[in-house]
Amino acid sequence: MKGNAVRVALLGCGTVGGEIVRLLREQASELAARAGAPVELAGVAVRRPHKHPELGDLLTTDASALVTRPDVDVVVELIGGIEPARSLLLEALKAGKSVVTANKALLAEDGAALAEAADASGVDLFYEASVAGAIPLLRPLRESLAGDRITRVAGIVNGTTNFILSGMTSSGAGYADALEEATRLGYAEADPSADVDGYDAASKAAILATLAFHTRVTAADVYCEGMRHVSASDIAAARDIGCVIKLLAICERTRNPESVSARVYPAMIPAAHPLAGVDGAFNAVFVEAEAAGQLMFYGQGAGGAPTASAVLGDLVAVARNRVTGSRGPRDCAYASLPVVPIGAVPTRYHVSLEVADRAGVLATIAGEFSRHGVSIAAVRQSGGEADSAPSHPTRAARLVVVTHAAPEAALAATVQVLAELDIVLGVESVLRVEDLGRKGVAP
Ligand code: NDP
Ligand code: HSE
């Protein structure tokens, strides 16, 4: 500390970093009162200094020199991506600086290396903003629920895809039109693949599973399926069985053997579930713990100011620790549970088939589900006619099969066989149905 101030090196001054600069300046006296010392900017590293004339002498393009400067106490990283962020943070931690970051991609890929470096130097590593933006979620998981056993963390952790799916649900629009609207309003980026292909949510799932189950889970451990393939007819099919479709991140502790499952995919959830009503770019996460029961966290999961709120909360916590010469709670991955492969994870499915509408078709299809050990919960046929006349041998009908919970591998094998039957004219869609622990739900 220089004088009695806590000095901050800010790496990146974009959407979130710009808000950090504004709030540090506008709320300087309140932040000082809460932290127990003034919190001052020591320098700001960017790529293109000409874009930030208001920062004057604080600017540098040499982030590496900034993070090891002796007058810096805390490094706030808001560059994003793996490199150079990883090298910069490892340098900073090694030099004894505490770190605050919103970088979910880096934490999900190499959180263990960062945590080890923080432990080795006895400094703080906080990252509340990396999952669900403004929503206080990681601190409750790490601290408030430290005395409980968390069994599931499931929710909507990507605002862009929730905006797209909500738009498709409310207007009946197709995926392409809803994505165009999200891009026009600035939610989706020019390259939306990290969001729509599920990678952003998978990084967040890895961070949530690591904290909830005291087990180091990386992005590579998370099964990840995006939502590009969700169609307007899938949304309508979900509505037919009293459900809506959401892109979910689901982290569960499973038993026999004790293990962890972490996965991201679009799924039908009951319209009565609290997550179903989370619309637009909002995020919400449902946490279940043995003693606490069910908890829900809701709010803005993205955007400059909301994300800056979480970053500043961490910064004040770090500053308090610097002032008192202490250290906050650290991550502990003592449990080291195995991560179950997706093939072994039981889920319910909604399978939509175009089939020949003639006698014996339903029995053959039901037989394939049975042969693979997949139990059917409901079947609905539409289109065609209940007409087995030989004059109409290839009349087509739509058959929807909703299953009881079955392992992914069994369902995949069933669908593969069905697709090869000559009575199956097409497999229109296969979507998971998640009850998320609520009783009395559809279908
Ligand atoms: P931006 O792209 O808006 O800003 C990135 C900043 O980093 C820019 O100021 C850029 O400089 C600077 N930068 C890029 N490369 C370098 C480099 N090599 N050296 C120094 N500076 C560099 O990102 P966001 O503010 O949106 O995101 C920051 C982090 O916060 C990411 O990890 C993101 O995942 C996370 N996050 C973002 C949310 C959001 O809503 N935006 C929500 C939650 C988390 P220049 O200005 O000169 O181009
Ligand atoms: N692209 C992310 C989202 C930003 O849409 O939720 C917040 O992490």
Side-chain angles (χ1 to χ4, degrees):
M1 290 168 66
K2 188 174 169 188
N4 73 340
V6 174
R7 305 263 296 164
V8 179
L10 178 63
L11 310 184
C13 192
T15 306
V16 184
E19 286 297 305
I20 294 292
V21 172
R22 179 179 72 79
L23 292 167
L24 276 176
R25 287 176 169 170
E26 283 179 14
Q27 303 181 6
S29 56
E30 285 166 88
L31 291 172
R34 292 174 202 158
V39 181
E40 290 177 356
L41 274 177
V44 181
V46 295
R47 265 177 317 190
R48 298 165 293 180
H50 63 273
K51 282 183 62 197
H52 310 275
E54 73 288 358
L55 292 173
D57 290 346
L58 286 172
L59 282 177
T60 178
T61 53
D62 191 349
S64 183
L66 177 62
V67 299
T68 50
R69 251 171 49 187
D71 65 324
V72 165
D73 302 298
V74 186
V75 172
V76 175
E77 186 270 311
L78 296 168
I79 294 176
I82 306 300
E83 287 293 351
R86 170 168 45 199
S87 302
L88 291 169
L89 293 191
L90 289 173
E91 275 178 64
L93 291 164
K94 196 170 162 199
K97 319 298 182 188
S98 289
V99 162
V100 174
T101 178
N103 192 334
K104 59 237 165 182
L106 176 58
L107 289 157
E109 178 162 314
D110 224 356
L114 296 178
E116 276 165 29
D119 284 347
S121 295
V123 294
D124 287 326
L125 168 65
F126 291 159
Y127 45 89
E128 182 64 62
S130 64
V131 182
I135 306 173
L137 175 62
L138 303 191
R139 193 162 275 112
L141 289 178
R142 188 193 290 113
E143 298 180 36
S144 321
L145 291 165
D148 209 334
R149 174 179 275 215
I150 296 171
T151 51
R152 173 155 48 193
V153 181
I156 297 161
V157 293
N158 184 270
T160 304
T161 48
N162 201 47
F163 182 86
I164 294 171
L165 287 168
S166 304
M168 290 171 74
T169 303
S170 60
S171 71
Y175 166 74
D177 289 342
L179 173 61
E180 199 179 305
E181 175 76 345
T183 308
R184 192 179 65 77
L185 292 173
Y187 291 114
E189 296 184 28
D191 175 5
S193 60
D195 295 315
V196 299
D197 293 328
Y199 304 127
D200 176 81
S203 293
K204 293 167 178 170
I207 295 167
L208 291 171
T210 298
L211 285 178
F213 308 128
H214 309 287
T215 290
R216 190 59 67 183
V217 176
T218 68
D221 296 321
V222 180
Y223 173 78
C224 176
E225 187 185 305
M227 48 75 68
R228 284 182 201 260
H229 61 84
V230 176
S231 66
S233 62
D234 290 330
I235 302 273
R239 188 177 294 124
D240 284 348
I241 62 164
C243 288
V244 297
I245 298 179
K246 295 289 184 188
L247 184 76
L248 298 178
I250 302 175
C251 310
E252 280 173 334
R253 181 194 288 263
T254 48
R255 295 191 180 280
N256 304 321
E258 188 90 349
S259 51
V260 164
S261 160
R263 49 202 204 263
V264 168
Y265 44 62
M268 297 183 181
I269 60 171
H273 192 281
L275 288 177
V278 176
D279 285 333
F282 278 80
N283 285 190
V285 177
F286 211 67
V287 177
E288 290 175 66
E290 282 182 1
Q294 297 180 327
L295 308 162
M296 186 157 146
F297 299 80
Y298 170 84
Q300 296 194 67
T307 308
S309 164
V311 172
L312 280 181
D314 279 350
L315 183 53
V316 168
V318 168
R320 284 178 182 144
N321 292 340
R322 286 266 158 178
V323 168
T324 57
S326 59
R327 190 182 174 210
R330 43 190 282 278
D331 294 357
C332 55
Y334 67 87
S336 296
L337 298 174
V339 180
V340 259
I342 187 70
V345 175
T347 319
R348 302 175 67 203
Y349 291 88
H350 178 285
V351 182
S352 180
L353 305 167
E354 195 189 1
V355 297
D357 189 20
R358 62 174 187 251
V361 166
L362 185 54
T364 306
I365 288 171
E368 287 304 333
F369 278 92
S370 162
R371 202 163 65 78
H372 290 90
V374 180
S375 173
I376 292 175
V379 179
R380 179 185 299 183
Q381 179 178 326
S382 58
E385 280 177 14
D387 175 0
S388 59
S391 55
H392 298 127
T394 57
R395 191 187 299 279
R398 184 163 184 255
L399 196 66
V400 169
V401 177
V402 181
T403 73
H404 289 299
E408 152 98 21
L411 194 280
T414 312
V415 170
Q416 195 179 351
V417 171
L418 290 177
E420 285 162 11
L421 296 178
D422 59 356
I423 54 167
V424 174
L425 309 178
V427 178
E428 288 176 351
S429 77
V430 178
L431 276 164
R432 294 173 178 80
V433 182
E434 290 281 354
D435 289 345
L436 296 171
R438 303 285 283 193
K439 294 195 172 61
V441 292

